[in-house]
């Protein structure tokens, strides 16, 4: 079988060196990659590097091998075009349909999915000109990955950093797996909670659970690949940030509630994949609780935490917002799931049975997605991203 053809566009920013790692990941996972740098980007990484790493000749302009009509062929033949880093200038030229070098010609002739991974200083990213160009590209169906927050070229930090190359590769891999399917969550803002809350008992102990956050992160990664704007609110996962998602941190159920309620106010979809503690210790001991010789430990009094999913589901101030809950069950799985769907009032409830190689902490999962209208969709045992994609299929179908 022919290898999938990927065009890796590289524009002129300091993060161009990180594109070498994106290229490596793509070639090592069986993709045929043609690198198309801009002239400016060669100040940062030379053509010899791209040629050696990709195994293909490299050109910035349309005047080499003219008999092969590269300005049209390169884009037409591609299964995916990814531009990493995409500078403010490149985004502007792409949004305005300019075609003054091989990369911009390729962007005009490509009919496959196109991904931009912007990298620039915060001021340039936030400038209305750049934001309008990004909105234009997204409206036309391109996936523009939100830049990461962190160290920029100099000592400064802020939003505008190129996401981790491994995460950019993950976005490309997922988009390629979707074939020519359109980014059906484009223009949608989705909020996802992931991980497990921890309720402090004293400065060294907490009540927690076994959630790793993997299911929530799979939802975030797949939503980015489907074109959504993603806010991921994570609790105690320690996982690397998925490319393109805005990541907020919460420790306790109360902190998670505050973050979810605030983000949900502007969201089209809220997915509660986090395992949230139903109870917390009634009293927080400011000093470490000590053993007392010969005496039984004091019982720990608990109080209820707010039910975030029920609260968001009951709030219909944003008409059309879709709310998805999860339920991890050990007994009477479906019956409990159906009862929980009714009690929580969400639109969809993903019921997963707690088991050895699935649900908490594992790479795989298996579930039944229950809908408020009575529909039930079984999802067979498989990677957590397959379950995530089924959830997005059902959400996208509801948007029509
Ligand atoms: O993180 P992983 O290791 O990948 O594991 C994934 C998972 C098992 C955590 C995930 O698939 C899952 O099932 N998440 C929900 C876990 C759970 O126990 O839910 P629950 O049955 O306690 O709660 C039902 C729903 O209400 C959930 O959407 C939960 O986020 C929400 N909830 C619960 C309590 C509370 N106080 N507020 C809530 O919003």
């Amino acid at each position: 079988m022919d290898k999938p053809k990927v065009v890796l566009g590289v524009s002129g920013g300091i993060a161009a060196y990180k594109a070498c790692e994106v290229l490596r990941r793509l070639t090592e996972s069986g993709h045929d990659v043609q690198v198309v740098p801009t002239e400016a980007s060669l100040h940062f990484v030379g053509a010899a590097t791209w040629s050696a790493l990709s195994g293909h000749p490299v050109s910035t302009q349309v005047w080499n091998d003219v008999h092969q009509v590269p300005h049209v062929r390169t884009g037409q033949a591609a299964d995916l075009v990814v531009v990493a880093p995409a500078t403010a200038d490149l985004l502007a030229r792409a949004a305005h349909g300019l075609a003054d070098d091989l990369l911009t010609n390729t962007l005009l002739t490509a009919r496959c999915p196109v991904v931009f991974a912007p990298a620039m200083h915060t001021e340039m990213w936030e400038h209305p000109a750049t934001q309008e160009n990004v909105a234009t590209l997204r409206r036309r169906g391109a996936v523009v990955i939100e830049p990461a927050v962190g160290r920029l070229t100099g000592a400064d930090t802020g939003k505008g950093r190129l996401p981790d190359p491994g995460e950019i590769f993950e976005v490309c891999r997922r988009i390629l797996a979707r074939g020519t399917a359109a980014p059906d969550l484009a223009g949608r803002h989705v909020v996802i909670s992931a991980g497990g809350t921890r309720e402090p008992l004293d400065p060294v102990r907490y009540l927690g659970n076994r959630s790793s956050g993997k299911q929530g992160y799979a939802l975030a990664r797949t939503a980015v690949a489907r074109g959504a704007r993603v806010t991921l609110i994570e609790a105690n996962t320690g996982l690397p940030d998925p490319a393109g998602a805005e990541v907020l941190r919460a420790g306790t159920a109360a902190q998670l509630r505050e973050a979810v309620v605030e983000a949900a106010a502007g969201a089209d979809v809220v997915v509660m994949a986090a395992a949230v503690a139903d109870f917390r210790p009634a009293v927080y001991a400011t000093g470490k609780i000590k053993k007392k010789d010969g005496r039984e430990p004091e019982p720990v009094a608990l109080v209820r935490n707010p039910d975030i999913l029920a609260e968001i589901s009951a709030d219909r101030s944003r008409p059309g917002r879709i709310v998805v809950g999860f339920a991890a069950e050990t007994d009477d799985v479906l019956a409990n799931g159906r009862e929980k769907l009714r009690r929580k009032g969400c639109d969809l409830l993903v019921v997963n049975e707690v088991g050895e190689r699935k649900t908490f902490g594992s790479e795989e999962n298996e579930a039944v997605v229950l809908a408020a209208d009575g529909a039930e969709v079984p999802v067979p045992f498989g990677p957590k991203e397959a379950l995530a994609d089924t959830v997005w299929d059902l959400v996208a179908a509801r948007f029509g």
Side-chain angles (χ1 to χ4, degrees), residues 211-213 215 272-274 278 306 308-309 326 340 344 352 361 384:
S211 172
S212 62
Q215 185 62 68
M272 287 294 298
D278 285 316
I308 310 165
L309 178 60
F326 270 70
K340 200 168 268 184
K344 302 265 186 177
N352 42 191
K384 282 183 171 167

Side-chain angles (χ1 to χ4, degrees), residues 228-243:
R229 179 183 148 213
V230 178
T231 301
L232 174 65
I233 305 170
E234 70 90 29
N236 308 300
T237 65
L239 296 175
D241 292 354

Side-chain angles (χ1 to χ4, degrees), residues 78-275:
D79 296 302
L80 177 81
V81 178
V82 50
V83 186
T87 59
D89 177 70
L90 188 279
L91 293 171
R93 291 195 290 142
H96 288 84
L98 301 191
D100 52 1
D101 62 4
L102 184 55
L103 180 53
T104 44
N105 273 273
T106 299
L107 289 167
L108 278 186
T109 51
R111 292 296 173 266
C112 58
V114 175
V115 181
F116 294 93
M120 63 197 74
H121 272 80
T122 311
E123 294 81 357
M124 298 174 85
W125 172 252
E126 288 176 348
H127 195 284
T130 305
Q131 287 302 306
E132 279 171 32
N133 291 330
V134 167
T136 301
L137 293 167
R138 283 183 173 148
R139 202 172 52 248
R140 291 188 194 135
V143 172
V144 184
I145 301 174
E146 286 287 309
V149 177
R151 181 89 186 265
L152 302 172
T153 317
D156 45 351
T157 57
K159 187 165 183 176
R161 188 179 158 83
L162 189 75
D164 179 70
E167 291 293 333
I168 296 174
F169 165 72
E170 281 300 315
V171 174
C172 295
R173 188 178 68 75
R174 284 181 173 81
I175 292 177
L176 277 162
R178 286 176 51 75
T180 53
D184 52 2
L185 296 177
R188 306 290 181 187
H189 178 201
V190 308
V191 173
I192 300 159
S193 70
T197 60
R198 290 179 184 173
E199 309 301 320
L201 187 57
D202 69 14
V204 295
R205 303 180 180 94
Y206 57 81
L207 298 182
N209 62 68
R210 296 176 188 277
S211 172
S212 62
K214 288 177 186 168
Q215 185 62 68
Y217 277 59
L219 283 152
R221 291 198 174 93
T222 46
V224 168
R226 296 171 79 136
R229 179 183 148 213
V230 178
T231 301
L232 174 65
I233 305 170
E234 70 90 29
N236 308 300
T237 65
L239 296 175
D241 292 354
E246 179 195 14
V247 183
L248 308 176
R249 323 255 170 222
T252 63
Q255 291 164 354
L256 187 70
R257 179 196 164 271
E258 200 181 321
V260 170
V261 168
E262 191 178 333
D268 300 296
V269 188
V270 178
V271 184
M272 287 294 298

Side-chain angles (χ1 to χ4, degrees), residues 192-193 215-216 219 269-275 309 322-330 333-334 336-338 340-342 344-354 359-360 364-372 375-380 383-395 398:
I192 300 159
S193 70
Q215 185 62 68
L219 283 152
V269 188
V270 178
V271 184
M272 287 294 298
L309 178 60
I322 296 173
V323 182
V324 183
F326 270 70
E329 301 290 341
T330 52
V333 175
L334 273 181
N336 280 332
R338 290 184 192 115
K340 200 168 268 184
L341 173 68
R342 191 193 51 71
K344 302 265 186 177
C346 48
D347 300 289
L348 298 170
L349 188 81
V350 183
V351 186
N352 42 191
E353 184 176 4
V354 177
T359 321
F360 286 97
E364 281 89 20
N365 210 347
E366 179 181 13
V368 179
V369 187
L370 308 180
E376 300 192 355
V377 178
V379 185
K384 282 183 171 167
E385 69 184 55
L387 171 56
D389 265 321
T390 303
V391 170
W392 297 129
D393 288 345
L394 295 167
V395 165
R398 274 167 172 70

